Amino acid sequence: GAGVSQSPSNKVTEKGKDVELRCDPISGHTALYWYRQSLGQGLEFLIYFQGNSAPDKSGLPSDRFSAERTGGSVSTLTIQRTQQEDSAVYLCASSLTSDRAFAFFGQGTRLTVV
Amino acid sequence: AQSVSQHNHHVILSEAASLELGCNYSYGGTVNLFWYVQYPGQHLQLLLKYFSGDPLVKGIKGFEAEFIKSKFSFNLRKPSVQWSDTAEYFCAVNAPSGNTPLVFGKGTRLSVIA
């Protein structure tokens, strides 16, 4: 596609349920990022996929959070046993692999845990 | 690890006023620097970027930023703001190697009043 696509755009879930958020990066982009945006907290880095390298998971807030990237393209962020503090906008971005690349962002998934 | 500080959380300006948003980063090596903007209801988009060369970079919509290596700063400026510049502005940094994720500051909300 022309841009980074995320689905769903909005998700309301009950506390304790698992959720999956999807990201389709721009075709050919080997780097993919997940961020969480909360009011007053800016963009919190979650995880970074770069080509075939092991992902940088240093930003994942707990073991309830995990992410996969299949075939070097689509990525899924999974949050298990959701808590109210997980409510936020989850943003995905992708970029080329070069020392002068910059990231393109999707519209985000707004997650509300009730 | 890299970190980014944006000292202004919310800036309110009248139209035609000059703007300067502060950004300081913490990283000992060579860096790529970015400013992203998020207009209300829209996704993050790149405003300008610095990779190397002239430390004064110009972006879209009349924005510019100056990289001062000795101060680890990359402040954003615009000589005369417009109401349409109302948005949230994020400074970001990564290393040119491509092996480090893009790290963002907490953002500065700019409100331009008529």
Side-chain angles (χ1 to χ4, degrees), chain B residues 10-83:
Chain B
H10 188 194
V11 173
I12 303 172
L13 294 173
S14 298
E15 279 193 313
S18 64
L19 169 73
E20 181 160 4
L21 301 182
C23 171
N24 287 89
Y25 67 92
S26 171
Y27 186 68
T30 304
V31 292
N32 294 333
L33 294 156
F34 308 85
W35 276 98
Y36 279 82
V37 60
Q38 189 172 33
Y39 297 104
Q42 297 188 25
H43 64 282
L44 276 154
Q45 53 189 288
L46 185 71
L47 196 57
L48 49 77
K49 58 192 183 295
Y50 171 82
F51 293 129
S52 65
D54 188 345
L56 184 62
V57 293
K58 296 190 184 296
I60 59 172
K61 304 185 180 183
F63 286 91
E64 63 179 34
E66 185 175 13
F67 169 47
I68 302 179
K69 189 174 180 180
S70 61
K71 295 184 177 180
F72 297 89
S73 70
F74 190 57
N75 293 355
L76 181 70
R77 300 194 294 249
K78 185 171 183 178
S80 176
V81 295
Q82 301 172 318
W83 178 82

Coordinates of all heavy atoms in Angstrom, one line a residue, chain B residues 10-83:
Chain B
H10 N 3.6 22.7 26.9 CA 2.5 23.4 26.1 C 2.9 24.8 25.9 O 3.3 25.5 26.9 CB 1.2 23.3 27.0 CG 0.0 23.8 26.2 ND1 -1.2 24.0 26.8 CD2 -0.2 24.0 24.9 CE1 -2.1 24.5 25.9 NE2 -1.5 24.5 24.8
V11 N 2.9 25.2 24.7 CA 3.2 26.6 24.3 C 2.0 27.2 23.6 O 1.4 26.6 22.7 CB 4.4 26.6 23.3 CG1 4.7 28.0 22.8 CG2 5.7 26.0 24.0
I12 N 1.7 28.4 24.1 CA 0.6 29.2 23.5 C 1.1 30.4 22.9 O 1.8 31.2 23.6 CB -0.5 29.5 24.6 CG1 -1.0 28.2 25.2 CG2 -1.7 30.2 23.9 CD1 -1.9 28.4 26.4
L13 N 0.8 30.6 21.6 CA 1.3 31.8 20.9 C 0.2 32.5 20.1 O -0.8 31.8 19.7 CB 2.4 31.4 19.9 CG 3.7 30.9 20.5 CD1 4.7 30.4 19.4 CD2 4.4 32.0 21.3
S14 N 0.3 33.7 19.9 CA -0.6 34.4 19.0 C -0.1 34.3 17.6 O 1.2 34.1 17.4 CB -0.7 35.9 19.4 OG -1.2 36.1 20.7
E15 N -1.0 34.4 16.6 CA -0.6 34.3 15.2 C 0.5 35.4 15.0 O 0.4 36.5 15.5 CB -1.8 34.5 14.3 CG -2.6 33.3 14.1 CD -3.6 33.4 12.9 OE1 -4.2 34.5 12.9 OE2 -3.6 32.5 12.1
A16 N 1.5 35.1 14.1 CA 2.6 35.9 13.7 C 3.7 36.0 14.7 O 4.8 36.6 14.4 CB 2.1 37.3 13.4
A17 N 3.5 35.4 15.9 CA 4.6 35.3 16.9 C 5.7 34.4 16.4 O 5.4 33.5 15.6 CB 4.1 34.9 18.2
S18 N 6.9 34.5 16.9 CA 8.0 33.6 16.5 C 8.0 32.4 17.5 O 7.5 32.5 18.7 CB 9.3 34.3 16.6 OG 9.6 34.7 17.9
L19 N 8.4 31.3 17.0 CA 8.4 30.0 17.7 C 9.8 29.5 17.9 O 10.5 29.4 16.9 CB 7.5 29.0 17.0 CG 7.5 27.6 17.5 CD1 6.8 27.4 18.8 CD2 6.9 26.6 16.4
E20 N 10.1 29.0 19.1 CA 11.2 28.1 19.2 C 10.9 27.1 20.3 O 10.5 27.4 21.4 CB 12.5 28.9 19.7 CG 13.7 28.0 19.9 CD 15.0 28.8 19.8 OE1 15.0 30.0 19.8 OE2 16.1 28.1 19.9
L21 N 11.0 25.8 19.8 CA 10.8 24.7 20.7 C 12.1 24.0 21.0 O 12.8 23.6 20.1 CB 9.8 23.7 20.1 CG 8.4 24.2 19.7 CD1 7.5 23.1 19.1 CD2 7.7 24.9 20.9
G22 N 12.4 23.7 22.3 CA 13.6 23.1 22.6 C 13.6 21.6 22.5 O 12.6 21.0 22.8
C23 N 14.8 21.1 22.2 CA 15.0 19.7 22.1 C 16.5 19.4 22.5 O 17.4 19.9 21.8 CB 14.7 19.1 20.7 SG 15.2 17.4 20.5
N24 N 16.7 18.6 23.5 CA 18.0 18.1 23.8 C 18.1 16.6 23.8 O 17.1 16.0 24.3 CB 18.4 18.7 25.2 CG 18.7 20.1 25.1 OD1 17.9 21.0 25.3 ND2 20.0 20.5 24.9
Y25 N 19.1 16.0 23.4 CA 19.2 14.6 23.3 C 20.5 14.1 24.1 O 21.4 14.9 24.4 CB 19.3 14.1 21.9 CG 20.6 14.5 21.2 CD1 21.7 13.7 21.2 CD2 20.7 15.7 20.5 CE1 22.9 14.1 20.5 CE2 21.8 16.1 19.9 CZ 22.9 15.3 19.9 OH 24.1 15.7 19.3
S26 N 20.4 12.9 24.5 CA 21.5 12.3 25.2 C 22.0 11.1 24.4 O 21.3 10.1 24.3 CB 21.1 11.9 26.6 OG 22.1 11.1 27.3
Y27 N 23.2 11.2 23.8 CA 23.8 10.1 23.1 C 25.2 10.6 22.7 O 25.4 11.7 22.2 CB 23.0 9.8 21.8 CG 23.5 8.6 21.1 CD1 23.4 7.3 21.6 CD2 24.1 8.7 19.8 CE1 23.8 6.2 21.0 CE2 24.6 7.6 19.2 CZ 24.4 6.3 19.7 OH 24.9 5.2 19.1
G28 N 26.1 9.7 22.9 CA 27.5 10.1 22.7 C 28.0 10.0 21.3 O 29.1 10.6 21.0
G29 N 27.3 9.3 20.4 CA 27.9 9.1 19.1 C 27.2 10.0 18.0 O 26.5 10.9 18.4
T30 N 27.4 9.6 16.8 CA 26.8 10.4 15.7 C 25.3 10.1 15.7 O 24.9 8.9 16.0 CB 27.4 9.9 14.4 OG1 28.8 10.1 14.4 CG2 26.8 10.7 13.2
V31 N 24.5 11.1 15.4 CA 23.1 10.9 15.5 C 22.4 11.4 14.2 O 22.9 12.3 13.5 CB 22.5 11.7 16.7 CG1 22.9 11.1 18.0 CG2 22.9 13.2 16.7
N32 N 21.2 10.9 14.0 CA 20.2 11.4 13.1 C 19.2 12.1 14.0 O 18.8 11.6 15.0 CB 19.6 10.4 12.3 CG 20.5 9.7 11.3 OD1 21.5 10.2 10.9 ND2 20.2 8.4 11.0
L33 N 18.7 13.3 13.6 CA 17.8 14.0 14.4 C 16.5 14.4 13.5 O 16.7 14.7 12.3 CB 18.4 15.3 14.9 CG 19.5 15.1 15.9 CD1 20.5 16.3 15.9 CD2 19.0 14.8 17.3
F34 N 15.4 14.3 14.2 CA 14.1 14.5 13.4 C 13.2 15.4 14.3 O 13.2 15.4 15.5 CB 13.4 13.2 13.2 CG 14.3 12.1 12.5 CD1 15.1 11.3 13.3 CD2 14.3 11.9 11.2 CE1 15.9 10.4 12.7 CE2 15.1 11.0 10.6 CZ 15.9 10.2 11.4
W35 N 12.3 16.1 13.6 CA 11.1 16.7 14.2 C 9.9 16.1 13.4 O 9.9 16.2 12.2 CB 11.1 18.2 14.1 CG 11.9 18.9 15.2 CD1 13.1 19.3 15.2 CD2 11.4 19.2 16.5 NE1 13.5 19.9 16.3 CE2 12.4 19.8 17.2 CE3 10.2 19.0 17.2 CZ2 12.3 20.2 18.5 CZ3 10.0 19.4 18.5 CH2 11.1 20.0 19.1
Y36 N 9.0 15.6 14.2 CA 7.7 15.1 13.6 C 6.6 16.0 14.2 O 6.7 16.6 15.3 CB 7.4 13.7 14.1 CG 8.1 12.6 13.2 CD1 9.5 12.3 13.5 CD2 7.5 12.0 12.2 CE1 10.1 11.4 12.7 CE2 8.2 11.0 11.4 CZ 9.5 10.7 11.7 OH 10.1 9.8 11.0
V37 N 5.5 16.1 13.4 CA 4.3 16.9 13.8 C 3.1 16.0 13.7 O 3.0 15.2 12.8 CB 4.2 18.2 12.9 CG1 4.0 17.8 11.4 CG2 3.1 19.0 13.4
Q38 N 2.2 16.2 14.7 CA 0.9 15.5 14.7 C -0.2 16.6 14.8 O -0.4 17.1 15.8 CB 0.8 14.6 15.8 CG -0.4 13.6 15.7 CD -0.3 12.5 16.8 OE1 0.2 12.7 17.9 NE2 -0.8 11.4 16.5
Y39 N -0.8 16.8 13.6 CA -2.0 17.8 13.6 C -3.2 17.1 14.2 O -3.3 15.8 14.2 CB -2.3 18.2 12.2 CG -1.1 19.0 11.6 CD1 -0.3 18.5 10.7 CD2 -0.9 20.3 12.0 CE1 0.8 19.2 10.1 CE2 0.2 21.1 11.5 CZ 1.0 20.5 10.6 OH 2.0 21.2 10.0
P40 N -4.1 17.8 14.8 CA -5.3 17.2 15.5 C -6.0 16.2 14.6 O -6.4 16.5 13.4 CB -6.2 18.4 15.8 CG -5.2 19.5 15.9 CD -4.2 19.3 14.9
G41 N -6.1 15.0 15.1 CA -6.8 13.9 14.3 C -6.0 13.3 13.2 O -6.6 12.4 12.5
Q42 N -4.8 13.7 13.1 CA -4.0 13.1 12.0 C -2.8 12.3 12.5 O -2.5 12.3 13.7 CB -3.5 14.2 11.1 CG -4.6 15.0 10.4 CD -4.0 16.0 9.3 OE1 -2.9 15.8 8.8 NE2 -4.8 17.0 9.1
H43 N -2.2 11.5 11.6 CA -1.0 10.7 12.0 C 0.2 11.6 12.0 O 0.3 12.7 11.5 CB -0.9 9.5 11.1 CG -0.5 9.9 9.7 ND1 -1.5 10.3 8.8 CD2 0.6 9.9 9.0 CE1 -0.9 10.6 7.6 NE2 0.4 10.3 7.7
L44 N 1.2 11.0 12.7 CA 2.5 11.7 12.7 C 3.1 11.8 11.4 O 3.1 10.9 10.6 CB 3.5 10.9 13.6 CG 3.4 11.1 15.1 CD1 3.9 9.9 15.9 CD2 4.2 12.4 15.5
Q45 N 3.7 13.0 11.1 CA 4.4 13.1 9.8 C 5.7 13.9 10.0 O 5.8 14.7 10.9 CB 3.5 13.8 8.8 CG 2.9 15.2 9.2 CD 1.9 15.7 8.3 OE1 2.2 16.1 7.2 NE2 0.6 15.6 8.6
L46 N 6.6 13.6 9.1 CA 8.0 14.2 9.3 C 7.9 15.7 8.9 O 7.4 16.1 7.9 CB 8.9 13.5 8.3 CG 10.4 13.9 8.4 CD1 11.0 13.4 9.7 CD2 11.2 13.4 7.2
L47 N 8.5 16.5 9.8 CA 8.6 17.9 9.5 C 10.0 18.3 8.9 O 10.0 19.0 8.0 CB 8.4 18.7 10.9 CG 8.1 20.1 10.9 CD1 6.8 20.4 10.1 CD2 7.9 20.6 12.3
L48 N 11.0 17.8 9.5 CA 12.4 18.0 9.0 C 13.3 17.0 9.6 O 13.0 16.3 10.6 CB 12.9 19.4 9.2 CG 12.7 20.0 10.5 CD1 13.8 19.5 11.5 CD2 12.8 21.6 10.4
K49 N 14.5 16.9 9.0 CA 15.5 15.9 9.5 C 16.9 16.4 9.3 O 17.1 17.2 8.4 CB 15.3 14.6 8.7 CG 15.5 14.7 7.2 CD 15.0 13.5 6.5 CE 15.2 13.6 5.0 NZ 14.4 14.7 4.3
Y50 N 17.8 15.9 10.1 CA 19.2 16.2 10.0 C 19.9 14.9 10.0 O 19.8 14.1 10.9 CB 19.7 17.1 11.2 CG 21.2 17.2 11.2 CD1 21.8 18.1 10.3 CD2 22.0 16.4 12.0 CE1 23.2 18.2 10.3 CE2 23.4 16.4 11.9 CZ 24.0 17.3 11.1 OH 25.3 17.4 11.1
F51 N 20.8 14.7 9.0 CA 21.7 13.5 8.9 C 23.1 14.0 9.1 O 23.9 13.4 9.8 CB 21.4 12.8 7.6 CG 20.1 12.1 7.5 CD1 19.3 12.3 6.4 CD2 19.6 11.4 8.5 CE1 18.0 11.8 6.3 CE2 18.3 10.8 8.4 CZ 17.5 11.0 7.3
S52 N 23.5 15.0 8.3 CA 24.9 15.4 8.3 C 25.0 16.7 7.5 O 24.0 17.2 6.9 CB 25.9 14.4 7.7 OG 25.6 14.2 6.3
G53 N 26.1 17.4 7.5 CA 26.3 18.6 6.7 C 25.8 19.8 7.4 O 26.0 20.0 8.6
D54 N 25.2 20.7 6.7 CA 24.8 22.0 7.2 C 23.9 21.8 8.4 O 22.9 21.1 8.4 CB 24.0 22.8 6.1 CG 23.7 24.2 6.5 OD1 23.8 24.6 7.7 OD2 23.3 25.0 5.6
P55 N 24.3 22.4 9.6 CA 23.5 22.1 10.8 C 22.2 22.8 10.8 O 21.4 22.6 11.7 CB 24.5 22.7 11.9 CG 25.3 23.6 11.2 CD 25.5 23.1 9.8
L56 N 22.0 23.8 9.9 CA 20.7 24.4 9.8 C 19.9 23.8 8.7 O 20.2 23.8 7.6 CB 20.9 25.9 9.5 CG 19.6 26.8 9.5 CD1 18.9 26.8 10.9 CD2 19.9 28.2 9.1
V57 N 18.8 23.1 9.1 CA 18.0 22.4 8.2 C 16.6 23.0 8.0 O 16.1 23.5 9.0 CB 17.9 20.9 8.5 CG1 19.2 20.2 8.4 CG2 17.3 20.7 9.9
K58 N 16.1 23.0 6.8 CA 14.8 23.6 6.6 C 13.8 22.5 6.3 O 14.1 21.5 5.6 CB 14.9 24.6 5.4 CG 15.8 25.8 5.8 CD 15.7 26.9 4.8 CE 16.7 28.0 5.1 NZ 16.4 28.7 6.4
G59 N 12.6 22.6 6.8 CA 11.6 21.6 6.5 C 10.4 22.2 5.8 O 10.5 23.3 5.3
I60 N 9.3 21.5 6.0 CA 8.1 22.0 5.3 C 7.4 23.2 6.1 O 7.8 23.3 7.3 CB 7.1 20.9 5.2 CG1 6.7 20.3 6.5 CG2 7.6 19.8 4.2 CD1 5.5 19.3 6.5
K61 N 6.6 23.9 5.5 CA 5.8 24.9 6.1 C 6.6 26.0 6.8 O 6.1 26.6 7.8 CB 4.7 24.3 7.0 CG 3.9 23.3 6.3 CD 2.8 22.7 7.2 CE 2.0 21.7 6.4 NZ 0.8 21.2 7.2
G62 N 7.8 26.3 6.4 CA 8.6 27.4 6.9 C 9.3 27.1 8.2 O 9.9 27.9 8.8
F63 N 9.3 25.8 8.6 CA 10.0 25.4 9.8 C 11.5 25.2 9.5 O 11.8 24.8 8.4 CB 9.4 24.1 10.4 CG 8.1 24.3 11.1 CD1 6.9 24.2 10.4 CD2 8.1 24.6 12.5 CE1 5.7 24.4 11.1 CE2 6.9 24.8 13.1 CZ 5.7 24.7 12.4
E64 N 12.3 25.4 10.5 CA 13.7 25.1 10.4 C 14.2 24.6 11.8 O 13.6 24.9 12.8 CB 14.5 26.3 10.0 CG 14.5 27.5 10.9 CD 15.4 28.6 10.4 OE1 15.5 28.8 9.2 OE2 16.0 29.3 11.2
A65 N 15.3 24.0 11.8 CA 15.9 23.5 13.1 C 17.4 23.6 12.9 O 18.0 23.4 11.9 CB 15.5 22.1 13.4
E66 N 18.1 23.9 14.1 CA 19.5 24.0 14.1 C 20.1 23.0 15.0 O 19.8 22.9 16.2 CB 20.0 25.4 14.5 CG 21.5 25.6 14.4 CD 21.9 27.0 14.8 OE1 21.1 27.8 15.3 OE2 23.1 27.3 14.5
F67 N 21.1 22.2 14.5 CA 21.8 21.2 15.3 C 23.0 21.9 15.9 O 23.9 22.4 15.1 CB 22.2 20.0 14.3 CG 23.1 19.1 14.9 CD1 22.9 18.5 16.2 CD2 24.2 18.6 14.2 CE1 23.8 17.6 16.8 CE2 25.1 17.7 14.8 CZ 24.9 17.2 16.0
I68 N 23.1 21.9 17.2 CA 24.3 22.4 17.8 C 24.9 21.3 18.6 O 24.4 20.9 19.7 CB 23.9 23.6 18.8 CG1 23.3 24.7 18.0 CG2 25.2 24.1 19.5 CD1 22.9 25.9 18.8
K69 N 25.9 20.7 18.0 CA 26.5 19.5 18.6 C 27.0 19.7 20.0 O 26.9 18.8 20.9 CB 27.7 19.0 17.7 CG 28.2 17.6 18.0 CD 29.2 17.2 17.0 CE 29.7 15.8 17.3 NZ 30.7 15.4 16.3
S70 N 27.6 20.8 20.3 CA 28.2 21.1 21.6 C 27.2 21.2 22.7 O 27.5 21.0 23.8 CB 29.1 22.4 21.5 OG 28.2 23.5 21.2
K71 N 26.0 21.5 22.3 CA 24.9 21.6 23.3 C 23.9 20.4 23.2 O 22.9 20.4 23.9 CB 24.1 22.9 23.0 CG 24.9 24.2 23.3 CD 24.0 25.4 23.1 CE 24.8 26.7 23.4 NZ 23.9 27.9 23.2
F72 N 24.2 19.5 22.3 CA 23.3 18.3 22.1 C 21.9 18.8 21.9 O 20.9 18.2 22.5 CB 23.4 17.4 23.4 CG 24.7 16.8 23.6 CD1 25.7 17.4 24.3 CD2 25.1 15.5 23.0 CE1 27.0 16.9 24.5 CE2 26.3 15.0 23.2 CZ 27.3 15.7 23.9
S73 N 21.7 19.8 21.1 CA 20.4 20.4 20.9 C 20.0 20.4 19.4 O 20.9 20.4 18.5 CB 20.4 21.8 21.5 OG 21.1 22.7 20.7
F74 N 18.7 20.4 19.2 CA 18.1 20.4 17.9 C 16.8 21.2 18.0 O 15.7 20.6 17.9 CB 17.9 19.0 17.3 CG 17.6 18.9 15.9 CD1 18.4 19.5 14.9 CD2 16.5 18.3 15.5 CE1 18.1 19.4 13.6 CE2 16.1 18.2 14.1 CZ 17.0 18.7 13.2
N75 N 16.9 22.5 18.2 CA 15.7 23.3 18.5 C 15.0 23.6 17.2 O 15.6 23.9 16.1 CB 16.1 24.6 19.2 CG 16.5 24.3 20.6 OD1 16.5 23.2 21.1 ND2 17.0 25.4 21.3
L76 N 13.7 23.6 17.3 CA 12.8 23.9 16.1 C 12.4 25.4 16.2 O 12.0 25.9 17.2 CB 11.5 23.0 16.2 CG 10.5 23.2 15.1 CD1 11.1 22.6 13.8 CD2 9.2 22.5 15.4
R77 N 12.4 26.0 15.0 CA 12.0 27.4 14.9 C 11.1 27.7 13.8 O 11.1 27.0 12.7 CB 13.3 28.3 14.8 CG 14.3 28.2 15.9 CD 15.3 29.3 15.9 NE 16.2 29.2 14.7 CZ 17.5 28.9 14.8 NH1 18.0 28.6 16.0 NH2 18.2 28.8 13.7
K78 N 10.3 28.8 13.9 CA 9.5 29.3 12.8 C 9.4 30.8 13.1 O 8.9 31.1 14.2 CB 8.2 28.6 12.7 CG 7.4 29.1 11.5 CD 6.2 28.2 11.2 CE 5.5 28.7 9.9 NZ 4.3 27.9 9.6
P79 N 9.7 31.6 12.2 CA 9.6 33.1 12.4 C 8.2 33.6 12.7 O 8.1 34.6 13.4 CB 10.3 33.7 11.2 CG 10.4 32.6 10.2 CD 10.2 31.3 10.8
S80 N 7.2 33.0 12.1 CA 5.9 33.6 12.2 C 4.9 32.5 12.1 O 4.7 31.9 11.1 CB 5.6 34.6 11.1 OG 4.3 35.1 11.1
V81 N 4.3 32.1 13.3 CA 3.4 31.0 13.3 C 2.0 31.4 12.8 O 1.6 32.5 12.8 CB 3.2 30.4 14.7 CG1 4.6 29.8 15.1 CG2 2.7 31.4 15.7
Q82 N 1.3 30.4 12.3 CA -0.1 30.5 11.8 C -1.0 29.6 12.7 O -0.6 28.7 13.3 CB -0.2 30.1 10.4 CG 0.7 30.9 9.4 CD 0.7 30.4 8.0 OE1 0.7 29.1 7.8 NE2 0.7 31.2 7.1
W83 N -2.3 29.9 12.6 CA -3.3 29.1 13.4 C -3.2 27.7 13.0 O -3.3 26.8 13.8 CB -4.7 29.7 13.1 CG -5.7 28.9 13.8 CD1 -6.2 29.0 15.1 CD2 -6.5 27.9 13.2 NE1 -7.2 28.1 15.3 CE2 -7.4 27.4 14.2 CE3 -6.6 27.3 11.9 CZ2 -8.4 26.4 14.0 CZ3 -7.5 26.3 11.7 CH2 -8.4 25.9 12.7

